[in-house]
Amino acid sequence: KLLDKVLDNKAYLGWAIKVLAPRYISTSMYRRGKYNLNTMSHDTAIGLIQGALDKGVNVSEVYVDTVGPPEKYEAKLSQIFPSLKITVAKKADSLYPCVSAASICAKVARDQVLTAWKFPPGEETEGPWGSGYPGDPVTKKFLQTQFHPVFGFPSLVRFSWKTAEKIVEEKG
């Protein structure tokens, strides 16, 4: 319902997402100069804010759900965007309706990406793969059945995900 409200008010309310592929996240986290998930999240948020500004969107306030300590993240964003009022909070999606709406947009987009996922040629993979959440029994079954002792997981799976790492340790 919340996504419908966002879409129904597109004349004055916009949104953007940046999809990070599982392979990109894994290779970034495992490279020699590690690029961790928090830093990727920060850089992606910065890029989205900058992208809106570059397109001429009249941004005056930014509300963000924290990744890491909120004070440090807020200071970082405030330094990069000194003309904006920045608010970073734990559980911001439950405190600020605009963050709730952004969270819904991100989840819907994520679900659409998963539904439309195309595996590279030669990667024989059987679905369904589930939601991608660690508590999802369909996701757990997919991870268990699609693990290969030499090649690991299909490209859909982030190797740096703790759930995947545990399976590698058990079966690898």
Side-chain angles (χ1 to χ4, degrees):
K1 288 183 178 184
L2 191 53
L3 179 63
D4 290 335
K5 286 184 180 183
V6 170
L7 297 175
D8 289 345
N9 293 293
K10 63 185 175 190
Y12 66 90
L13 182 63
W15 59 285
I17 61 163
K18 169 75 172 154
V19 176
L20 301 179
R23 186 170 287 163
Y24 171 79
I25 295 170
S26 290
T27 57
S28 295
M29 291 179 73
Y30 285 139
R31 69 185 187 194
R32 187 173 297 185
K34 289 188 179 187
Y35 185 37
N36 69 42
L37 206 49
N38 284 5
T39 305
M40 275 184 250
S41 179
H42 290 184
D43 291 347
T44 302
I46 291 164
L48 288 167
I49 296 165
Q50 189 61 58
L53 294 170
D54 292 347
K55 288 184 175 156
V57 176
N58 183 15
V59 179
S60 57
E61 298 179 33
V62 174
Y63 294 85
V64 182
D65 201 347
T66 195
V67 178
E71 302 80 17
K72 286 177 69 175
Y73 190 17
E74 187 170 310
K76 179 179 184 175
L77 291 174
S78 294
Q79 183 178 6
I80 295 167
F81 303 106
S83 64
L84 303 180
K85 179 187 178 289
I86 306 286
T87 302
V88 177
K90 290 179 182 176
K91 305 285 186 194
D93 59 340
S94 64
L95 299 172
Y96 305 104
C98 59
V99 181
S100 298
S103 179
I104 296 296
C105 292
K107 284 179 175 79
V108 169
R110 180 183 175 281
D111 290 347
Q112 289 176 344
V113 167
L114 280 172
T115 300
W117 189 267
K118 300 286 185 230
F119 291 94
E123 192 175 278
E124 297 172 16
T125 304
E126 300 278 330
W129 38 84
S131 66
Y133 292 106
D136 178 7
V138 176
T139 298
K140 287 179 181 178
K141 182 178 179 189
F142 173 79
L143 291 172
Q144 291 289 339
T145 59
Q146 295 300 313
F147 178 75
H148 188 280
V150 175
F151 300 110
F153 294 103
S155 59
L156 178 67
V157 179
R158 181 167 51 95
F159 279 67
S160 56
W161 185 29
K162 292 288 182 211
T163 306
E165 285 180 344
K166 184 177 176 185
I167 291 170
V168 170
E169 287 174 17
E170 292 169 358
K171 292 186 168 195

